[in-house]
């Protein structure tokens, strides 16, 4: 997977053109509720549709279950839950962003996947201080796009949750 | 290559390896009985096995050599140098044939008449010279290439990491293969099937190969024991010998890593606590030197390692006192507990019986850690002991940790895998269908098994899949699980199948879930969770604390001998009938408790009858002073045996209690066994046998026993090959199987207070043969009625005669598997009819 170099070159914030690609960070974007989030492409292993999932009884509530991804066991985590948003009553089609952390595989479940965007990382605004603490903890900054804001997800904090909750 | 043939070759090659060394000693000292024994054993095993595999050439030569060796072993004939040469030549010939067999999967053509004639000649005309001269050229004429190669292969060292990585890759391959097979099955494309089958075979071979590469003999762990023990003995001022049996037994290296420390601790413990100081030993009439024996052997799908000493044995009274002193049990409980139950306290954290704290042990940190470590990998440890004769710790271990044999069960629409190692029994429960039922005791669910009440937990509730007080289906299966001293039943909806699964560790965010140890991917691609029985026990204990305190507080009876245990507590059904005095019957005899509308009871010819489950069931009053109620519902206790039923009419069911039963006999009341104090109240214990003929005239010709009793078979055979072939077969036929590798082991097993229903013994065994065993058993009154089935690879009329005289009930050819199963079933059903008559 291509890893975009962090560039000291100062250009405009929005320049998703091929010529400047090497100066930008690519983000895999995804929608949760009506918010756009971005994860640096270097942190993303793959994006996949979940066909079947095995729920784990007594697991922390943000762990939705285990998924077989080509012979690997992937732990599915609800980004909605992590953001303090309600779970939809019925998820028709689950889309997950595959992430590796400490040698273990996770699938972060999102509502839908957006485009891959090229953005200059150092033009991101810092996280507004009055953001919900849960959100603030997962945000590595906010990019202003033409039509919306994009929250850069801090992958390690998405996966950081206490695991001593043993019952729903 | 045929599985059995391969196993035979492996086993024989291992023996040949040993004998290679022994032969050197045999040459030097031909009358050394140990060496003779080993050589005899090899020849004997070959003979026993190749008859089964259809290898006449090997069988003939082995038979002739065995006969001659047998004579030497009995010490009737002195071994002459020419005999040594003859034996060496025979072994060489066996090697040659085995090597050919390995190469071509068939015996090479040719005859061994030359050697056999000489062997037989030596047998009839003992000492004759000039034989060597004739023999030597024959032996050398044998082609030698290949036979060394089979046993002394070049080796290569690889790092453990490489092996572990290989294992992981193979596991992945197995999973992928399973998925492919599943896909192909659905598509039904024959073009796909052929390469897939090939892939499947290769995968299996690869898996076996890698598994084998991970195996290490347990001897590698034992190697340091002699030194440890020597140092200990010097420190403690004792003299101790160490005997190692079965050091070649192989275990997965991961398992070995785990048991290294527990085993060392057990040996230290035996040296410190078990073996007495020399003076004390001499005073007790024992040899000055104590012996600690380490033995390891395969037992079905697991490995058993025993650490035994010939020391003073456990001091049960002392353990009782300490347990009371530590507040673990009350004085009354201490009195009531059986020795076996008491012995388990030594695995309790912080429990030490050492008089003084020594540098070796006695700090109370050893045994509970031993147990914890062994439990951790799905093993178990038990202790048995005889005062003055020694203590044996029996450690059962899984063969490997990477692949686990599991039972797949269904709960609340989800599937789970339960390791078979911890499953004792599987019982179908269904209300109102004549199967076992789950009953309610206060708010706790229990289930009757023989004369024991087993706490039952609905798995769904434990997993939070149903609300705590929601309707629990009582139609399903109970998986009886035993971990350490805790036994309980897990109620599941369905039992699907058994499957060998590759364990994948759980994500670290799920590792604090006590009930799961990992997950696996099944052939259909779905993931299922693997249940961790040890964690279930802890969850169960928490659950029990909140819900069923009475059941949890009860001490755990010894599982193996609940059936005929007269010392331990007995479950009693207490009821009132006629008089005010409470009456009771052993719960184990009771089939069901019923309340029947009086209007349904019919009278015919002065007898009371009830239409019950499609039968006319006779009803009998529990007390002659009773009469039927005019209306409403009549309580009754139902007894059954096969298709016979009888209802005992009572006024009111009071309780189910478990108590130590001391019965005082009552002289002139045939309807009573006697009276006893049950839970502080005088209670009449009913003699069920008195009431049964009142209902059915012929009932006493049959045994009144709880149904579905698992019969225990003791299988005695010196050949691991036969043991591992027959034991699973018998288990599959529904028997509980204990195995012994010889007469001594068999007698040791029988000496334990567990119930062996029938003994199946090989007649031809080295050292002491099957007849020795049968004679020893028949010499003891308590084994007089024990049925014995003899296994033999050949039968001669004098043998049959001798066996008949000893009361052997049946002769079965060694390879006649179905014959053995039939004989067992015939013996056991005849026995259950005969006992009560």
């Amino acid at each position: 997977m291509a890893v975009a170099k962090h560039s000291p070159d100062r250009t405009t914030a929005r320049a998703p053109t091929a010529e400047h690609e090497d100066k930008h960070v690519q983000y895999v974007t995804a929608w949760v509720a009506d918010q756009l989030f971005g994860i640096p492409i270097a942190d993303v292993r793959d994006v996949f549709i979940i066909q079947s999932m095995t729920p784990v009884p007594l697991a922390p509530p943000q762990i939705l279950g285990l998924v077989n991804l080509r012979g690997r066991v992937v732990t599915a985590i609800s980004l909605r839950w992590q953001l303090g948003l309600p779970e939809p009553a019925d998820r028709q089609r689950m889309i997950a962003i595959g992430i590796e952390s400490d040698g273990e595989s996770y699938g972060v479940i999102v509502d839908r996947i957006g485009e891959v965007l090229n953005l200059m990382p150092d033009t991101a605004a810092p996280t507004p201080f009055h953001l919900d603490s849960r959100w603030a903890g997962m945000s590595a900054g906010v990019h202003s796009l033409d039509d919306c804001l994009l929250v850069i997800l801090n992958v390690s904090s998405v996966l950081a949750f206490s695991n001593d909750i043993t019952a729903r | 290559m045929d599985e059995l043939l391969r196993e035979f070759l492996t086993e024989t090659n291992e023996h040949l390896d040993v004998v290679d060394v022994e032969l050197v000693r045999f040459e030097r000292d031909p009358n050394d009985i140990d060496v003779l024994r080993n050589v005899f054993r090899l020849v004997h095993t070959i003979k026993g096995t190749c008859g089964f595999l259809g290898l006449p050439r090997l069988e003939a030569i082995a038979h002739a050599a065995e006969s001659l060796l047998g004579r030497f072993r009995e010490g009737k004939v002195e071994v002459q140098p020419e005999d040594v040469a003859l034996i060496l030549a025979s072994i060489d010939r066996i090697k040659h044939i085995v090597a050919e067999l390995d190469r071509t999967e068939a015996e090479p053509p040719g005859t061994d008449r030359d050697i056999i004639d000489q062997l037989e000649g030596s047998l009839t005309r003992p000492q004759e010279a000039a034989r060597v001269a004739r023999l030597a050229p024959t032996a050398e004429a044998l082609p030698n290439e290949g036979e060394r190669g089979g046993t002394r292969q070049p080796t290569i060292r690889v790092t453990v990491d490489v092996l572990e990585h290989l294992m992981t890759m193979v596991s992945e391959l197995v999973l992928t293969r399973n998925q492919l097979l599943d896909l192909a099955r659905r598509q039904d494309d024959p073009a796909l099937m052929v390469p897939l089958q090939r892939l499947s075979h290769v995968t299996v071979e690869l898996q076996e190969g890698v598994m084998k590469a991970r195996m290490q003999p347990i001897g590698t762990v034992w190697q340091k024991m002699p030194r440890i023990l020597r140092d200990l003995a010097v420190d403690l001022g004792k003299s101790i010998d160490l005997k190692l049996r079965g050091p070649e037994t192989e275990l997965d290296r991961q398992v070995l890593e785990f048991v290294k420390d527990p085993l060392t601790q057990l040996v230290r413990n035996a040296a410190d606590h078990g073996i007495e100081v020399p003076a004390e030993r001499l005073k007790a009439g024992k040899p000055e030197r104590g012996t600690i024996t380490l033995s390891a052997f395969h037992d079905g799908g697991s490995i058993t390692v025993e650490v035994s000493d010939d020391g003073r044995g456990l001091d049960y009274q002392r353990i009782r006192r300490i347990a009371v002193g530590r507040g673990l049990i009350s004085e009354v409980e201490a009195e009531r507990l059986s020795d076996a139950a008491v012995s388990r306290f030594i695995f309790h954290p912080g429990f030490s019986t050492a008089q003084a704290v020594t540098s070796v042990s006695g700090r109370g940190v050893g045994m509970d850690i031993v147990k914890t470590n062994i439990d951790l990998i799905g093993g178990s440890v038990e202790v048995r002991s005889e005062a003055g004769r020694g203590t044996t710790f029996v450690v059962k271990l899984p063969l490997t940790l990477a692949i686990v044999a599991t039972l797949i069960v269904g709960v609340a629409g989800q599937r789970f895998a339960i390791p078979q190692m911890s499953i004792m029994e599987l019982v179908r429960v269904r209300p109102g269908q004549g199967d076992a039922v789950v009953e309610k005791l206060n708010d706790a669910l229990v289930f009757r098994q023989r004369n024991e009440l087993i706490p039952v937990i609905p798995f769904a509730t434990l997993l939070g899949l149903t609300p705590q007080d929601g309707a629990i289906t009582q139609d399903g299966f109970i998986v009886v699980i035993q971990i350490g001293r805790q036994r309980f039943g897990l109620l599941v909806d369905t039992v699907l199948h058994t499957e060998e699964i590759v364990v994948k560790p759980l994500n670290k965010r799920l590792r604090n879930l006590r009930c799961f140890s990992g997950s696996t991917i099944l052939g259909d691609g779905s993931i299922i969770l693997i249940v961790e029985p040890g964690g279930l026990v802890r969850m169960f204990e928490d659950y029990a604390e909140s819900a069923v305190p009475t059941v949890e507080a009860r001490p755990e009876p010894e599982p193996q001998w609940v059936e005929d245990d007269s010392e331990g507590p007995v479950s009693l059904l207490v009821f009132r009938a006629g008089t005010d005095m409470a009456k009771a019957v052993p719960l184990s005899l009771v089939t069901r408790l019923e309340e029947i509308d009086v209007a349904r009871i019919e009278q015919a010819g002065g007898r009371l009858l009830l239409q019950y489950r499609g039968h006319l069931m006779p009803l009998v009053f529990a007390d002659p002073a009773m009469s039927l109620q005019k209306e409403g519902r009549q309580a009754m206790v139902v007894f059954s045996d096969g298709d016979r039923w009888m209802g005992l009419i009572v006024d009111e069911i009071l309780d189910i209690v478990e108590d130590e039963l001391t019965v005082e006999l009552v002289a002139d009341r045939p309807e009573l066994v006697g009276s006893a104090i049950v839970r502080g109240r005088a209670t009449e214990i009913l003699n069920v046998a008195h009431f049964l003929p009142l209902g059915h005239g012929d009932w006493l010709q049959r045994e009144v026993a709880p149904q579905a009793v698992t019969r225990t078979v003791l299988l005695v055979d010196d050949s691991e090959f036969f043991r591992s072939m027959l034991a699973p077969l018998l288990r599959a036929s529904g028997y509980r199987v204990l195995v012994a590798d010889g007469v001594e082991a068999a007698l040791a097993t029988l000496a334990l207070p567990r119930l062996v229903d029938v003994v199946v013994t090989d007649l031809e065994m080295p050292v002491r043969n099957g007849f020795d065993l049968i004679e020893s058993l028949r010499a003891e009154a308590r084994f007089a009625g024990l049925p014995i089935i003899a296994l033999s690879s050949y039968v001669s009329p004098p043998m049959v005669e001798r066996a008949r005289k000893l009361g052997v009930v049946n002769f079965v050819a060694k390879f006649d598997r179905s014959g053995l199963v039939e004989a067992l079933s015939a013996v056991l059903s005849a026995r259950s009819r005969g006992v009560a008559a």
Side-chain angles (χ1 to χ4, degrees):
Chain A
M1 192 166 289
V3 179
K5 293 262 157 38
H6 182 99
S7 162
D9 185 21
R10 288 175 186 273
T11 47
T12 54
R14 270 161 288 125
T17 47
E19 306 94 81
H20 296 101
E21 197 179 7
D22 59 330
K23 295 165 186 164
H24 296 81
V25 175
Q26 284 191 309
Y27 290 96
V28 173
T29 64
W31 295 88
V32 174
D34 289 317
Q35 181 60 52
L36 187 65
F37 291 90
I39 300 178
I41 208 163
D43 291 340
V44 176
R45 183 177 163 137
D46 43 18
V47 172
F48 53 94
I49 297 169
I50 293 172
Q51 267 139 5
S52 74
M53 189 164 67
T54 301
V56 182
L58 308 178
Q62 52 271 70
I63 295 185
L64 295 180
L66 303 178
V67 178
N68 173 12
L69 183 64
R70 295 185 291 277
R72 277 185 301 134
V73 177
V74 176
T75 306
I77 290 180
S78 165
L79 186 53
R80 269 180 172 269
W81 180 283
Q82 293 298 67
L83 293 168
L85 298 169
E87 287 289 313
D90 178 32
R91 282 190 196 264
Q92 288 291 321
R93 208 171 76 116
M94 278 204 248
I95 294 191
I97 300 176
I99 289 172
E100 295 271 304
S101 166
D102 289 342
E104 296 187 311
S105 306
Y106 296 87
V108 175
I109 311 248
V110 296
D111 290 0
R112 64 196 160 89
I113 290 287
E115 309 162 56
V116 173
L117 295 180
N118 287 325
L119 297 169
M120 289 298 293
D122 45 1
T123 59
T127 308
F129 71 89
H130 65 298
L131 204 62
D132 177 286
S133 64
R134 243 189 287 210
W135 284 58
M138 288 178 214
S139 166
V142 179
H143 274 293
S144 300
L145 305 185
D146 279 345
D147 48 354
C148 64
L149 298 171
L150 178 140
V151 176
I152 297 168
L153 273 185
N154 179 346
V155 170
S156 59
S157 57
V158 170
L159 302 180
F161 54 87
S162 160
N163 49 352
D164 39 56
I165 309 157
T166 49
R168 229 173 247 259
Chain B
M1 194 185 288
D2 179 31
E3 188 64 33
L4 288 174
L5 183 59
R6 187 179 319 148
E7 214 170 303
F8 164 72
L9 286 175
T10 316
E11 194 170 310
T12 308
N13 275 325
E14 276 169 18
H15 278 297
L16 283 169
D17 268 352
V18 177
V19 170
D20 255 348
V21 182
E22 296 288 325
L23 280 177
V24 183
R25 288 169 56 200
F26 181 58
E27 211 163 11
R28 215 166 42 220
D29 182 5
N31 286 308
D32 183 332
I33 195 76
D34 280 312
V35 179
L36 262 173
R37 228 174 251 170
N38 274 330
V39 181
F40 180 84
R41 196 179 165 79
L42 164 79
V43 174
H44 170 77
T45 308
I46 292 173
K47 190 193 93 174
T49 318
C50 55
F52 172 69
L53 290 169
L55 304 168
R57 209 177 143 183
L58 266 183
E59 189 183 5
I61 186 166
H63 177 72
E66 185 194 2
S67 306
L68 183 60
L69 281 164
R71 280 178 66 120
F72 297 149
R73 205 170 48 108
E74 287 157 20
K76 288 183 186 153
V77 185
E78 190 110 333
V79 184
Q80 300 298 320
E82 57 266 36
D83 294 322
V84 175
L86 190 51
I87 295 294
L88 288 176
S90 309
I91 300 285
D92 275 346
R93 185 69 61 90
I94 288 172
K95 273 189 188 167
H96 164 67
I97 298 173
V98 167
E100 283 296 300
L101 203 54
D102 209 351
R103 213 162 51 86
T104 64
E105 292 181 39
E107 284 188 332
T111 171
D112 308 294
R113 208 59 246 172
D114 49 350
I115 287 194
I116 293 170
D117 280 345
Q118 291 180 50
L119 284 167
E120 280 170 356
S122 179
L123 206 57
T124 45
R125 287 167 281 110
Q127 324 300 344
E128 186 186 309
R131 215 184 303 138
V132 187
R134 281 210 316 273
L135 189 70
T138 328
E140 269 162 32
L142 287 172
N144 273 321
E145 73 274 22
E147 57 185 59
R148 285 282 151 194
T151 51
R152 291 271 171 271
Q153 280 162 351
T155 56
I156 178 167
R157 273 168 195 269
V158 291
T159 63
V160 169
D161 287 353
V162 171
L163 271 182
E164 291 304 309
H165 184 66
L166 265 180
M167 190 65 200
T168 316
M169 291 296 106
V170 167
S171 305
E172 295 296 336
L173 185 62
V174 169
L175 291 175
T176 315
R177 188 264 331 250
N178 290 352
Q179 281 164 282
L180 273 176
L181 282 176
D182 209 57
L183 275 176
R185 232 172 271 134
R186 266 180 263 158
Q187 303 202 337
D188 200 22
D189 182 354
L192 213 55
M193 282 324 279
V194 178
L196 258 183
Q197 236 153 36
R198 182 146 172 72
L199 172 70
S200 191
H201 281 145
V202 172
T203 310
V204 170
E205 293 248 329
L206 190 59
Q207 187 185 342
E208 281 172 0
V210 175
M211 291 287 292
K212 211 174 196 171
R214 281 164 54 101
M215 294 297 216
Q216 275 182 307
I218 196 162
T220 55
V221 169
W222 287 355
Q223 269 166 12
K224 57 177 186 168
M225 298 289 186
R227 177 60 198 260
I228 291 176
L229 203 59
R230 194 206 71 88
D231 293 354
L232 263 181
V234 172
D235 281 357
L236 297 166
K238 299 176 180 178
S239 26
I240 305 171
D241 286 332
L242 181 66
K243 275 192 193 158
L244 303 178
R245 288 198 188 135
E248 72 284 351
T249 309
E250 289 192 320
L251 274 162
D252 187 292
R253 51 160 295 279
Q254 221 179 335
V255 180
L256 272 186
E257 269 314 298
F258 268 101
V259 299
K260 206 188 279 176
D261 292 341
L263 282 183
T264 312
Q265 184 60 35
L266 285 176
V267 170
R268 286 169 161 274
N269 192 71
D272 192 20
H273 295 303
I275 305 284
E276 312 91 327
V277 291
E280 201 179 317
R281 290 185 65 87
L282 285 175
K283 217 164 75 187
K286 295 198 220 180
E288 194 176 350
R289 297 185 71 82
T291 306
I292 293 177
T293 311
L294 280 168
S295 37
F297 50 90
H298 283 262
D299 182 6
S302 60
I303 303 267
T304 303
V305 183
E306 294 184 347
V307 179
S308 51
D309 63 65
D310 64 347
R312 58 171 79 94
L314 292 178
D315 184 346
Y316 293 115
Q317 287 312 325
R318 241 186 93 68
I319 299 174
R320 281 195 174 87
R321 280 203 304 278
I322 292 174
V324 172
R326 297 272 154 90
L328 299 171
I329 44 168
S330 70
E331 297 235 2
V332 183
E333 281 172 316
E335 289 301 308
R336 280 213 322 232
L337 282 181
S338 64
D339 285 351
V342 166
S343 68
R344 292 207 196 91
F345 280 115
I346 63 173
F347 296 114
H348 209 278
F351 200 96
S352 173
T353 61
Q355 308 272 355
V357 173
T358 67
S359 64
V360 181
S361 50
R363 289 155 306 187
V365 289
M367 300 312 278
D368 64 311
I369 289 177
V370 166
K371 181 160 171 50
T372 310
N373 281 342
I374 291 168
D375 280 352
L376 209 62
I377 53 168
S380 68
V381 55
E382 276 177 38
V383 58
R384 48 188 204 224
S385 174
E386 214 175 319
R389 294 189 60 180
T391 309
T392 300
F393 286 90
V394 183
V395 180
K396 277 202 182 298
L397 299 168
L399 275 175
T400 173
L401 301 182
I403 293 181
V404 182
T406 60
L407 180 74
I408 314 285
V409 300
V411 181
Q414 212 177 322
R415 289 179 292 175
F416 296 93
I418 305 177
Q420 282 178 15
M421 191 87 177
S422 50
I423 300 178
M424 306 281 295
E425 264 174 86
L426 198 58
V427 184
R428 177 88 174 96
V429 286
R430 200 161 28 168
Q433 297 282 320
D435 293 305
V437 288
V438 175
E439 290 161 88
K440 252 193 163 166
L441 200 58
N442 192 11
D443 274 336
L445 295 181
V446 295
F447 150 72
R448 283 184 231 160
Q449 194 188 38
R450 294 177 274 282
N451 61 359
E452 201 186 350
L453 274 187
I454 301 204
V456 170
I457 298 285
F459 196 23
T461 310
L462 205 60
L463 296 178
L465 294 175
T466 52
Q468 185 102 4
D469 48 352
I472 297 294
T473 170
Q474 295 191 359
D475 179 354
F477 292 86
I478 291 180
V479 183
V480 181
I481 292 178
Q482 169 122 21
I483 289 291
R485 57 198 204 92
Q486 184 59 268
R487 178 134 65 132
F488 64 100
L490 207 56
L491 182 63
V492 301
D493 300 339
T494 51
V495 167
L496 299 158
H497 53 103
T498 59
E499 188 158 335
E500 300 241 312
I501 56 171
V502 180
V503 180
K504 285 177 171 281
L506 277 182
N507 185 293
K508 67 165 182 255
R509 309 217 180 273
L510 294 170
R511 250 168 244 162
N512 65 324
L513 289 182
R514 295 180 294 180
C515 46
F516 304 117
S517 61
S519 64
T520 193
I521 301 178
L522 293 185
D524 61 6
S526 57
I527 295 180
I528 68 167
L529 291 155
I530 303 164
V531 172
E532 155 69 32
L536 275 188
V537 170
R538 288 191 293 281
M539 284 180 73
F540 169 77
E541 281 168 353
D542 291 352
Y543 180 96
E545 244 160 57
S546 59
V548 278
T550 47
V551 175
E552 169 51 16
R554 187 174 61 83
E556 185 69 19
E558 171 76 21
Q560 274 101 4
W561 43 282
V562 284
E563 283 148 296
D564 66 341
D565 176 23
S566 52
E567 309 260 300
V570 176
S571 293
L572 291 171
L573 176 75
V574 184
F575 53 85
R576 196 173 54 75
T579 59
D580 280 334
M581 196 189 235
K583 293 183 166 62
V585 290
L587 189 58
S588 59
L589 300 177
V590 175
T591 308
R592 308 179 58 80
L593 305 178
E594 289 285 356
E595 270 193 343
I596 300 289
D597 191 342
V598 179
R600 284 181 55 200
I601 298 176
E602 300 163 36
Q603 298 219 14
R607 293 171 74 189
L608 295 174
L609 296 168
L610 175 72
Q611 295 263 6
Y612 191 72
R613 293 167 179 258
H615 297 276
L616 260 189
M617 177 169 80
L619 303 181
V620 179
F621 287 110
D623 190 293
M626 283 175 73
S627 59
L628 271 188
Q629 290 182 354
K630 296 281 175 287
E631 56 186 31
R633 302 182 75 78
Q634 179 70 56
M636 63 182 65
V637 182
V638 178
F639 300 90
S640 77
D641 176 27
D643 53 2
R644 286 149 212 258
W645 298 75
M646 189 205 73
L648 190 69
I649 300 177
V650 302
D651 287 326
E652 191 190 355
I653 307 275
L654 295 174
D655 205 356
I656 290 170
V657 299
E658 186 164 83
D659 212 336
E660 199 80 19
L661 202 54
T662 314
V663 180
E664 282 172 37
L665 297 178
V666 179
D668 50 354
R669 304 266 305 271
E671 77 275 19
L672 296 185
V673 173
S675 64
I677 304 295
V678 176
R679 289 282 159 96
R681 287 197 312 180
T683 306
E684 292 176 331
I685 310 296
L686 257 56
N687 177 13
V688 179
H690 168 79
F691 292 94
L692 299 178
L694 301 180
H696 286 281
D698 59 343
W699 199 328
L700 269 200
Q701 282 149 29
R702 300 163 58 102
E703 183 191 16
V704 182
Q707 282 175 310
V709 172
T710 312
R711 300 301 196 165
T712 304
V713 176
L714 175 63
L715 176 66
V716 190
D717 198 312
D718 60 303
S719 157
E720 186 190 323
F721 175 82
F722 272 105
R723 286 200 308 273
S724 55
M725 185 182 81
L726 288 176
L729 168 80
L730 295 179
R731 284 196 184 102
S733 310
Y735 298 100
R736 185 182 298 151
V737 183
L738 305 171
V739 293
D741 61 0
V743 174
E744 302 298 337
L747 289 173
T749 304
L750 285 164
L752 294 172
R754 50 184 161 187
L755 197 69
V756 170
D757 293 293
V758 58
V759 174
V760 174
T761 179
D762 184 15
L763 286 180
E764 300 123 12
M765 286 187 286
V767 194
R768 293 179 70 184
N769 67 25
F771 283 119
D772 278 2
L773 172 66
I774 300 166
E775 276 164 2
S776 316
L777 290 182
R778 290 299 180 233
E780 281 193 59
R782 62 190 171 125
F783 295 127
L786 184 67
I788 298 171
I789 294 174
L791 291 178
S792 181
S793 38
Y794 79 97
V795 174
S796 65
M799 271 172 82
V800 176
E801 186 52 35
R802 190 173 169 200
R804 284 276 137 75
K805 275 195 184 133
L806 285 166
V808 169
V809 291
N810 212 328
F811 245 107
V812 180
K814 230 175 159 177
F815 43 84
D816 185 3
R817 309 183 197 192
S818 58
L820 177 59
V821 172
E822 273 171 31
L824 271 174
S825 134
V827 164
L828 290 173
S829 62
R831 189 177 178 232
S832 44
R833 273 191 200 94
V835 165

